[in-house]
Each structure stands twice: as structure tokens, then as C-alpha cells.
Amino acid sequence: MRPLDEQTILVTGTTDGLGRALADRLAADGATVLAHGRDEQRGLATVSEIRRATGNDDVHWLRADLASLDEVRGLADQVIAEYDALHGLVNNAGIGTVEGGGRRLESRDGYELRFAVNYLAGYLLTRLLVPLLVRSAPARIVTVSSVGQAPIDFDDVMLERGYSGLEAYGQSKLAQVMMTFDLAEELDPLAVTANCLHPGTFMPTKMVRAAGVSPATPLSEGVAATLRLVADPSLDGVSGRYYNGAREAEPDPQARDPLARRLLHELSDRLCGL
Ligand SMILES: NC(=O)c1ccc[n+]([C@@H]2O[C@H](COP(=O)([O-])OP(=O)(O)OC[C@H]3O[C@@H](n4cnc5c(N)ncnc54)[C@H](OP(=O)(O)O)[C@@H]3O)[C@@H](O)[C@H]2O)c1
């Protein structure tokens, strides 16, 4: 990998929590940071705070609501139009188990909201940015999943028959792992790697506070585990792994099921119009 101060890295969901802290850290280490979020005012404030705190002016705001696949396409188009290279993509943005009171909500495209925001948006963004990542090689795709995983019922992916925010969150997080394993099989690991992780259990962020859970892991641990996948030179060429913090771990068994992987891949392409 290149030194961080020669890298351009897109992090989704930088207006709060883990994404914000990671963006801070990458900027402090001299990377050009493309800081994504959905709220223009908070995003611009975030970028100016990071610039001021780190002295790094190469921090740039990108707005897109990941609950809309059109906005995801616009985000990818903007990155491709404005940046010659992309060395890192961190799929971090997400919603937890209780947003919307834990009720079933839908994205602007009519898809179950947790599946749409946590998984499908990152799927489409990644697929659209792969050619730029390949041109910029060596490059890394890092996806922030969770240990909270639930197998996908392919007869009811949109969870129309009975709904729990916990299950919806869990299936979206497992889908991210499955996407990572597919990408790792498709891409030359000497060019672009794809890895994912559970950053830490109950870090003190908005989604954990909203769930009324007592924080158990400092945010700094999640930042270190994620930063390691983005920037540790010892992981050059290492691809297709799922980590719990810094330890390699085994995800829900469905992630290794070839039929489930094929069904999810085909469904995702169809839902995204790819
Ligand atoms: N916290 C934990 O203990 C924990 C454990 C395991 C995994 N994770 C994973 O870590 C990642 C980061 O979560 P966090 O704990 O840092 O949560 P957070 O503080 O709630 O931050 C989530 C980020 O995602 C953004 N986001 C949410 N919905 C969006 C949308 N529709 N469009 C664009 N951006 C959107 C949020 O934007 P706003 O600021 O506008 O809301 C925020 O920037 C998530 O993928 C989560 O599943 C967290």
C-alpha cells in the first residue's frame, strides 16, 4: 500500500460515531478524506472541524442519503468525476436496531430500510466504484459489519411477514459479509482487497445510545480495528476476511453457503438495476 498521505479514502457516515472518529484519524495521518453523510449542514461543519483540528485541508464533503439508490449513484458519479484515484472505500454508514422505533420502514425505492441503508447502498456504491479502485491499485474496500448477524430468508428478504429491527439489522450485516467474500473472490488481491469487521461491541455511539444499551467498548478500539484494515501494511494482499476487532473470526455459516451467496448477489444486482 501507499503511505496514507498519498491516499484518497472515501468514508461513508462521517457525521457521527465511528465514521467521524475514523475520518479524524485518517485526516490526521495526512490522507485525502472524502467525508460522506446525509445532512449538508452537519457535513460541512464536520469537515471544517476536522480540517481545523488536523491542519489537513484535503478533507472534502460528499452528501448522499443512502436510503435512495439514485443518491448513491449520484455519490459514485461525483467521486468518479472529481477524483482521479480512490485507494480506500470504507462502507461504514448504517442505522441500528431501533431507528424508527424498531418498526418496519422502507427506503425511497420501497425496500426494507435497514437492508437498503446498511447493505444495498454500500453494495451499489462499491460496485460502481470498483473500476476506479482497480485503476488506483493497490486499493482496499473495508466494510463495517457486526457480530450481530442473522441469516437471510430468501422468501422474505424485505421482512414483510413479521418484523424485528434486530433481525433486520442482523440480516443487513450478514449481507455485508457475503458481499465482501464475493468481492474478494472476484478481485485480484494484489490490486484490490475486500475485508470486513465487527468493530467493537456496544461502542458509545448514537445507535447504541438509542438502543438504551450501556456502552461496553471504547470508540478508540473500533477506530483502531477499522484503521488497521484500511492502513496496516501487513494486510497487503490479504482479502476476503471477517474480523472481530483485530482477530480473524467466523461469520454466520450462511456467509459460506454458495447458494445463498449467489441468490444474494443476483437479488442485489436486480434491486440496484445493475
Ligand atoms: N456502535 C457499535 O457498537 C457498533 C457495533 C457493531 C457495528 N457497528 C457498525 O458501525 C457502523 C457505524 O455505526 P456507529 O455506531 O458509528 O453509528 P452512528 O453513530 O449512529 O453513525 C452512523 C452514521 O451513518 C450515517 N447514516 C445513517 N443513515 C444514513 C443514510 N440514510 N444516509 C447516509 N448516512 C447515513 C449517520 O448519519 P447521521 O449523522 O446523519 O445520522 C452517521 O454518520 C455501522 O455500520 C454499525 O452497524 C457499530
Side-chain angles (χ1 to χ4, degrees):
M1 59 169 277
R2 290 175 180 75
L4 270 181
D5 60 2
E6 293 174 20
Q7 291 198 39
T8 298
I9 300 173
L10 168 58
V11 183
T12 66
T14 58
T15 45
D16 223 320
L18 178 63
R20 166 62 201 267
L22 181 69
D24 266 322
R25 182 58 203 273
L26 290 169
D29 289 346
T32 295
V33 178
L34 311 187
H36 157 269
R38 60 180 157 180
D39 184 288
E40 184 78 10
Q41 279 191 347
R42 289 181 47 234
L44 291 172
T46 298
V47 163
S48 59
E49 282 164 24
I50 297 175
R51 286 181 177 177
R52 203 168 41 244
T54 62
N56 180 347
D57 285 336
D58 279 327
V59 182
H60 308 284
W61 166 241
L62 294 171
R63 200 208 70 81
D65 184 347
L66 302 186
S68 158
L69 292 176
D70 267 350
E71 293 204 16
V72 175
R73 278 185 212 99
L75 173 63
D77 287 348
Q78 189 180 352
V79 172
I80 291 163
E82 293 180 4
Y83 298 91
D84 295 334
L86 186 68
H87 309 102
L89 166 61
V90 184
N91 288 310
N92 161 78
I95 50 177
T97 55
V98 298
E99 177 144 331
R103 281 178 304 114
R104 185 180 182 282
L105 300 171
E106 291 188 350
S107 70
R108 232 177 286 167
D109 307 278
Y111 305 143
E112 190 281 317
L113 189 67
R114 289 176 176 81
F115 188 77
V117 170
N118 294 357
Y119 166 65
L120 211 50
Y123 180 87
L124 179 59
L125 183 65
T126 304
R127 292 280 166 194
L128 295 175
L129 291 177
V130 158
L132 178 60
L133 289 160
V134 169
R135 280 203 303 280
S136 314
R140 296 183 180 191
I141 300 163
V142 174
T143 297
V144 182
S145 174
S146 171
V147 79
Q149 298 164 16
I152 299 161
D153 172 2
F154 285 95
D155 290 329
D156 187 24
V157 177
M158 297 301 157
L159 299 171
E160 285 162 316
R161 298 196 295 265
Y163 187 82
S164 111
L166 201 59
E167 184 188 358
Y169 179 81
Q171 79 159 6
S172 71
K173 292 285 138 182
L174 179 57
Q176 291 182 302
V177 178
M178 292 160 86
M179 166 184 96
T180 300
F181 289 177
D182 281 349
L183 286 165
E185 281 180 8
E186 290 168 31
L187 298 167
D188 174 359
L190 296 178
V192 181
T193 62
N195 292 297
C196 58
L197 82 161
H198 169 66
T201 301
F202 301 138
M203 299 178 296
T205 65
K206 187 167 62 191
M207 70 168 65
V208 168
R209 283 193 297 272
V213 180
S214 301
T217 308
L219 189 58
S220 56
E221 277 186 29
V223 174
T226 312
L227 184 68
R228 174 176 166 270
L229 298 194
V230 175
D232 187 334
S234 74
L235 294 180
D236 278 350
V238 173
S239 194
R241 311 286 174 92
Y242 165 70
Y243 296 91
N244 183 336
R247 264 183 312 107
E248 196 174 344
E250 203 41 42
D252 182 282
Q254 197 184 50
R256 306 274 180 207
D257 175 351
L259 176 62
R261 290 254 297 281
R262 185 168 58 75
L263 289 173
L264 181 65
H265 192 150
E266 288 171 1
L267 175 71
S268 307
D269 279 353
R270 197 166 68 245
L271 296 177
C272 291
L274 288 171

